[in-house]
């Protein structure tokens, strides 16, 4: 076979690179003009990696590479579109749209639409979203005739999570269950059976879920040699953004496509690899030079975001990780003579007061709320702060998620407490009733109506309902009325089941004289009497939700009564700044209707963002790093990478705060130490702020009752 090489129009090629030289720094210019071969670009935070990738694609096109021979894999389609729009602006080419750009799933879908027939699918296959996938898994559970009532079986979305993690990490289902879901080990064979049925049904119905797009492309490239050779030849240049966040399956697909030309440029920061919990494989970037021994290494270390003081702390902190590509971020910006502030607070209330007070000061100094953020390791760390911001009328948003008290598991537990305080609370009763296996709308309605009728006929208030020292009665739940309904014929056949009997026992415990006004103890009882198991069976991220509830239990220790606790929480839902909107888990939920809003965010959700002033709260040992994460191998280094991500979000000012004293889940007062990520850095890298309470001013002398905790006296 004779080859004929198409000649390029040399007049169309740039003779000089003066424009690139003027618009890129030396590090970026080296990446953009690199020789065609495998390349690893370690791009530190704020160093302009997007700019480097964009100019690299433009450089390739201007040097005669056909756009359709370039593959650009990103983690959002929006990022790819924006990059390619800028490439078109740089090159003036009308053919930039022919670049294969987008997420791994989008690129895989393009290939499968052409070749699905080769692996037994029609080209017009449908793509299942998460809800559709769960419906199909439920159909498989029904077909398998698994008695989900005799032995509570995980819900469809949990099984979907297990299957998805196994697919993306290239692990057997059994290994995933042992490592991440040990409480389902007795059900391993049944779950594996559901997986097989689920795969079969998808093939029969000509549908794929999101993971199948990647799995089937890999299958296509492994099983169909002629197709693999076609794409290996077509993609002369492959670029991958955020490579540190790729999973094993994605890395394998890239390697299969790059097998011929090996012109694969991966760009990422090993120091920002923080998503192992959802399947990202740190070794993809760390071991790239092993898979591509000929790879050239580039480093982007010139930081345009942060002050030298912030970068000094970040560089020193991440240097404690053993597994990494060493780098030293250098600031372009001048010093502001403001070191990162380490702020020990007496307790969590003082921590919230400091953050709110300093935010208002910064706002008066001209820093808008939009330019500030409060970050935390776990979402429950923001409980007290949300209340403090609400009291001070500081509008805020929760980045990428609902507010803490609007999450399903928090509302579930609070519903138990609400029916103890107010037995006529219809919504709370129906919410907790329908969590009992076998109870649907009809049974929940019947039971609630019976409870209301029983209380009405017996007389609503009795002497024991009176709140001490008050003329106002409190309609607390009593064993002699509402509880007798739960054991009556009204309930129907369900009352003989173990799950219903356990539910009744829990209600008895919550309403007993000993526990009815101890919200912390009540939360503990709810968790230990079935709700922890309920979370494991119904949510993929059960561990994080259990951690939230333990944090809520610790927070509740400061309240004398359950009624007082619930009233305080109501502040967050009643003092809204605008009409309530439907809540969607991945939306940004606003806390105010002003033009500017303070951002509250977990560190994971903050990746890729930046603010002038950043507050990192609960920077204490046992909180950050989290104890749960430290139970896993190599997790301390991932936690330090997460810490590094948090620090490098700040442009001008960084505040690290933690409470010296806290009350734990067991109602014990605990003395806290600063995070190991602080103490492992030299003290001259930060400044310690000692807080003092402003003296109270009174118009006339008054007697003040000493309410100091005994341990301070």
């Amino acid at each position: 076979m004779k080859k004929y090489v198409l000649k390029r129009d040399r007049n169309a090629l740039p003779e000089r690179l003066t424009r690139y030289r003027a618009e890129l720094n030396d590090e970026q210019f080296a990446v953009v003009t690199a020789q065609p071969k495998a390349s690893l670009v370690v791009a530190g935070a704020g160093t302009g990696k997007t700019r480097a990738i964009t100019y690299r694609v433009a450089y390739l096109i201007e040097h005669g590479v056909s756009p359709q021979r370039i593959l650009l894999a990103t983690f959002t389609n929006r990022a790819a579109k924006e990059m390619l729009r800028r490439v078109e602006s740089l090159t003036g080419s009308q053919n930039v749209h022919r670049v294969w750009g987008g997420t791994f799933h989008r690129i895989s879908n393009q290939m499968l639409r052409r070749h699905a027939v080769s692996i037994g699918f029609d080209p017009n296959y449908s793509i299942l979203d998460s809800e559709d996938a769960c419906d199909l898994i439920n159909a498989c559970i029904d077909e398998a005739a698994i008695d989900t009532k005799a032995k509570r079986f995980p819900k469809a979305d949990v099984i979907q999570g297990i299957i998805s993690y196994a697919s993306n990490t290239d692990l057997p289902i059994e290994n995933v269950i042992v490592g991440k879901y040990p409480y389902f080990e007795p059900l391993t064979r049944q779950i594996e059976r559901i997986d097989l049925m689920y795969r079969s049904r998808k093939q029969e119905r000509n549908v794929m879920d999101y993971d199948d797009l990647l799995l089937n492309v890999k299958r296509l490239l492994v099983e169909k040699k002629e197709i693999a050779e076609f794409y290996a030849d077509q993609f002369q240049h492959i670029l991958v953004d955020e490579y540190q966040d790729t999973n094993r399956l994605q890395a394998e697909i890239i390697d299969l496509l790059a097998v011929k030309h090996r012109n694969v440029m991966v760009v990422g920061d090993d120091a920002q690899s923080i998503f192992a919990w959802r399947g990202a494989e740190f070794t993809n970037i760390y071991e790239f030079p092993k898979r591509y021994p000929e790879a050239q290494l580039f480093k982007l270390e010139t930081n345009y975001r942060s002050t030298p003081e912030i970068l000094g702390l970040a560089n020193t902190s991440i240097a404690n990780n053993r597994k990494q590509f060493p780098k030293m971020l250098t600031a372009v910006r001048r010093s502001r003579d403001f070191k990162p502030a380490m702020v020990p607070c007496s307790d969590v209330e003082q921590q919230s007061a400091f953050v709110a007070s300093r935010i208002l000061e910064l706002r008066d100094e001209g820093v808008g709320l939009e330019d500030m953020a409060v970050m935390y390791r776990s979402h429950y760390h923001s409980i007290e702060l949300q209340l403090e911001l609400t009291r001070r009328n500081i509008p805020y948003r929760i980045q990428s998620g609902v507010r803490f008290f609007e999450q399903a598991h928090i509302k579930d537990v609070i519903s138990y407490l609400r029916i103890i305080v107010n037995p006529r609370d219809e919504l709370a009763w129906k919410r907790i009733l329908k969590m009992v296996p076998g109870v649907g709308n009809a049974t929940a309605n019947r039971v609630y109506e019976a409870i209301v009728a029983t209380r009405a006929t017996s007389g609503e208030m009795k002497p024991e309902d009176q709140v001490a020292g008050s003329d106002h009665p409190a309609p607390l739940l009593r064993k002699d009325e509402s509880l007798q309904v739960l054991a009556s014929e009204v309930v129907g056949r369900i009352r003989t089941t173990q799950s219903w009997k356990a539910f009744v026992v829990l209600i008895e415990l919550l309403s007993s004289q000993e526990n009815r006004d101890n919200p912390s103890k009540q939360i503990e009882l709810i968790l230990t009497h079935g709700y922890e198991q309920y979370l494991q069976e119904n949510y993929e991220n059960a561990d994080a939700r259990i951690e939230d509830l333990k944090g809520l239990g610790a927070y509740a220790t400061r309240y004398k009564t359950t009624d007082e606790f619930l009233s305080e929480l109501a502040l967050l839902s009643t003092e809204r700044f605008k009409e309530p909107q439907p809540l969607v888990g991945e939306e940004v939920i606003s806390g105010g209707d002003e033009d500017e809003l303070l951002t509250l965010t977990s560190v994971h959700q903050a990746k890729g963002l930046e603010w002038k002033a950043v507050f990192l709260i609960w920077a204490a040992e046992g909180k950050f790093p989290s104890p749960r994460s430290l139970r896993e191998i190599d997790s301390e280094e991932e936690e330090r990478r997460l810490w590094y991500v948090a620090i490098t979000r700040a442009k001008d000012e960084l505040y690290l705060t933690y409470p010296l004293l806290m009350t734990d889940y067991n109602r014990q007062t605990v003395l806290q130490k600063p995070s190991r990520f602080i103490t492992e850095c030299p003290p001259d890298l930060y400044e310690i702020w000692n807080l003092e309470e402003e003296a109270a001013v009174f118009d006339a002398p008054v007697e003040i009752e000493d309410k100091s905790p005994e341990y301070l006296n």
Side-chain angles (χ1 to χ4, degrees), residues 513-671:
Q513 197 65 40
E514 178 185 2
N515 300 320
R516 68 193 308 158
D517 267 330
N518 187 338
S520 180
K521 180 64 176 178
Q522 288 173 323
I523 292 170
E524 179 186 343
L525 288 168
I526 293 164
L527 266 175
T528 56
H529 284 70
Y531 193 70
E532 185 169 334
Q533 181 184 352
Y534 175 85
L535 288 174
Q536 290 169 343
E537 293 166 352
N538 288 275
Y539 295 103
E540 183 188 355
N541 60 342
D543 287 348
R545 292 175 188 261
I546 291 167
E547 191 175 274
D548 281 351
L549 291 169
K550 288 182 177 179
L552 183 65
Y555 172 73
T557 57
R558 71 196 65 193
Y559 296 97
K560 294 180 180 178
T561 68
T562 303
D563 192 14
E564 181 187 352
F565 174 62
L566 293 175
S567 296
E568 183 76 354
L569 301 194
L571 277 173
L572 291 176
S573 57
T574 58
E575 293 190 19
R576 306 292 280 190
F577 294 88
K578 65 180 182 181
E579 289 300 311
Q581 300 294 322
L583 296 174
V584 180
E586 293 303 315
E587 285 183 344
V588 173
I589 306 302
S590 298
D593 58 356
E594 300 186 13
D595 291 336
E596 56 174 3
L597 298 169
L598 174 72
T599 296
L600 272 59
T601 176
S602 69
V603 183
H604 282 104
Q605 294 289 354
K607 186 171 177 292
L609 304 175
E610 59 182 35
W611 296 270
K612 288 183 179 179
V614 167
F615 297 81
L616 181 57
I617 62 174
W618 284 98
E621 192 66 10
K623 300 296 182 183
F624 199 157
S626 73
R628 177 167 52 90
S629 65
L630 293 179
R631 293 197 294 266
E632 300 170 6
I633 299 172
D634 293 332
S635 57
E636 180 178 335
E637 296 214 344
E638 172 141 343
E639 286 288 296
R640 191 176 285 105
R641 295 194 292 269
L642 190 63
W643 177 267
Y644 174 82
V645 167
I647 292 173
T648 53
R649 299 310 94 198
K651 297 164 71 174
D652 298 337
E653 298 185 16
L654 173 66
Y655 301 87
L656 310 173
T657 75
Y658 72 97
L660 288 163
L661 294 174
M662 65 161 285
T663 304
D664 68 9
Y665 183 55
N666 297 314
R667 295 175 290 285
Q668 300 293 316
T669 300
V670 178
L671 180 63

Side-chain angles (χ1 to χ4, degrees), residues 112-117 121-126 206:
L112 289 170
R113 291 297 178 190
R114 294 179 172 185
H115 309 288
V117 174
F121 286 86
D122 292 334
N124 64 338
Y125 61 82
S126 301
N206 196 40

Side-chain angles (χ1 to χ4, degrees), residues 60-81:
L60 292 173
I61 292 174
E62 287 189 338
H63 281 73
V65 178
S66 297
Q68 65 265 31
R69 303 202 71 183
I70 300 173
L71 185 148
L72 172 62
T74 61
F75 266 78
T76 66
N77 288 314
R78 183 169 58 183
K81 287 178 182 177

Side-chain angles (χ1 to χ4, degrees), residues 412-431:
D412 287 346
V413 168
I414 289 174
S415 292
Y416 278 101
L417 273 55
R418 282 168 53 184
I419 64 105
I420 301 302
V421 172
N422 176 16
R424 291 182 294 177
D425 190 326
E426 180 179 2
L427 294 178
W429 265 116
K430 290 181 177 179
R431 187 181 188 99

